[in-house]
Amino acid sequence: MSVMYIQGGVPLEGEWQVQGAKNSVLPILAGCLLTREPVAIANCPRLSDVEAAVDILHHLGARCTWEGDTLVVDAAGACGTSIDEGRMRAMRSSIIFLGPLAARMGEATLTYPGGCELGPRPIDLHLAALREMGCRVEEADGLITCMGKPRGGVVSLAFPSVGATENAMLCAVGARGDTTIVNAAREPEIVQLQEFLNLLGGKVWGAGGSVITIQGGHQLHGGHISILGDRIVAATLLSGVAAAGGEVQVQGVDWRHLSTVLQLFEQAGCRVRSGTRSIWFRRRRDTPMRAAPPIRTAPYPGFPTDAQAPVMAAFATARGTTIFQETIFSRRFGHVPGLRAMGADISLHGGGAWVRGVSGLHGAQVTATDLRGGGALAVAALSAQGETQLSGLEHIDRGYERLEEMFGRLGAQIQRR
Ligand code: EPZ
């Protein structure tokens, strides 16, 4: 297994174009099943989760070919209706194939999805949504079977689940009648999924708000979409600059998609200037960050749970104590032991983490246990004195395309061997 070797204490300087968003491209890949014409997905990040989605599409009979950073999906030949446990467990997003399979094939047989260890990751809201649209969904012996084409209906989500909203949208586009999703997730990736479905000839509106309406029964054609910039990768990059000090220009991401993160760093004394598609960010090395007011993760447009870990790593050396309240997942502090091994002073109380700033961190041998926790350990290593050896890179590669190249291009001494 490869290891990332990071020599900390080097300020980050320069410019970086952020990759396409993992959490936008994954539902769009599943949505390609809804049309028999080719779909071109530009700015598609090369990630192990994308490879897992491509593997599922191939397994179902679709063809996927890379043309530079554009992935072309042709699902004309898709005929499969079942996804085996190995493929389902490869990532959380495998469950997002349920809706499109029900819509196109009228049947689906899946097992339970995998994904990062963040606490329980139920799919009850996904299954309830499809039942609401008229599908017969059964769970028995570890199998999920879904029978019958969706007719549409009113899907009221008990929680604004990102995945359940996406599954319901993808299923509803192929339903005979209309569907309304109430208490829908409002993330930018949901807005891009609506953009994608409409450019294929669907009739979807309301994404970005809590009520999304889908007119079913439209035959979808092919199209071309460019994936929006990954706001969590951008937040991780800026956390690295906040931790190590320096000045960078981040291209290709809408600052509004991470405004809560930017506001927090400004409160901590970092300088931020936002353009339409770029962010200028500076933290002077001779001016440590100040602690920030308590941070509470929440569904978009609240503070993103995915940014909690990398941002916490940056605040490990701020002056004062910063409190992180994680409200979305019950076990999303897997990065805390690694940060403590590097000298961070963090105590956990229930769903909260008290981060008392220390004067500096030191290198250590640490292991990532989930995707964003891995990003956090890399961020901490950038500010630590000495060398950090970071393993568990299979978690990092799920969502960060070439993390070592991103920080290395900005001056970090970071190598994967
Ligand atoms: C998506 O996961 C993202 N993944 C996650 O990013 C992100 O952390 C999460 O949304 C929240 O923003 C992708 O988009 C591929 P949820 P998802 O359904 O859809 C509960 C990353 O690091 N819930 O919004 O799985 C659930 O347990 C990943 O890129 C149910 O109870 O998240 C959790 O507490 C990690 N029943 C809460 O809702 C359900 O049926 C939010 O989950 C579904 C979810």
Side-chain angles (χ1 to χ4, degrees), residues 244-264:
E247 178 177 334
V248 300
Q249 184 86 13
V250 181
Q251 304 286 358
V253 68
D254 184 332
W255 69 272
R256 293 168 297 178
H257 295 169
L258 60 157
S259 58
T260 52
V261 174
L262 297 176
Q263 186 184 34
L264 184 80

Side-chain angles (χ1 to χ4, degrees), residues 22-23 92 121-125 161-163 306 328 372:
K22 165 179 86 82
N23 294 348
R92 169 74 180 176
R121 305 211 50 192
I123 58 168
D124 56 315
L125 301 178
S161 154
V162 171
D306 293 349
I328 305 292
R372 306 304 174 186

Side-chain angles (χ1 to χ4, degrees), residues 22-23 26 92-93 116 118 120-126 159-164 166 187 231 305-306 327-330 332 371-372:
K22 165 179 86 82
N23 294 348
L26 291 174
R92 169 74 180 176
S93 257
C116 286
L118 307 173
R121 305 211 50 192
I123 58 168
D124 56 315
L125 301 178
H126 296 244
F159 180 88
S161 154
V162 171
E166 292 163 346
E187 276 71 1
R231 59 195 170 100
T305 174
D306 293 349
T327 70
I328 305 292
F329 292 106
S330 60
R332 196 165 200 172
L371 165 56
R372 306 304 174 186

Side-chain angles (χ1 to χ4, degrees), residues 117-239:
E117 260 310 307
L118 307 173
R121 305 211 50 192
I123 58 168
D124 56 315
L125 301 178
H126 296 244
L127 305 187
L130 267 67
R131 289 186 179 113
E132 197 52 55
M133 284 190 262
C135 298
R136 291 186 308 285
V137 182
E138 307 290 335
E139 296 175 83
D141 308 325
L143 278 183
I144 302 158
T145 52
C146 178
M147 298 303 288
K149 286 251 186 177
R151 63 167 186 272
V154 177
V155 173
S156 292
L157 293 174
F159 180 88
S161 154
V162 171
T165 300
E166 292 163 346
N167 236 333
M169 289 169 74
L170 291 167
C171 185
V173 162
R176 286 193 300 277
D178 298 350
T179 301
T180 302
I181 305 170
V182 181
N183 196 25
R186 299 170 53 194
E187 276 71 1
E189 293 78 26
I190 303 283
V191 175
Q192 181 152 64
L193 184 59
Q194 171 178 283
E195 174 198 350
F196 168 72
L197 293 172
N198 286 339
L199 76 84
L200 263 54
K203 291 277 182 277
V204 184
W205 59 94
S210 296
V211 179
I212 300 176
T213 305
I214 302 103
Q215 213 174 61
H218 294 278
Q219 180 78 23
L220 298 191
H221 48 71
H224 176 285
I225 189 162
S226 182
I227 300 300
L228 60 80
D230 193 312
R231 59 195 170 100
I232 306 303
V233 172
T236 306
L237 193 164
L238 297 180
S239 297

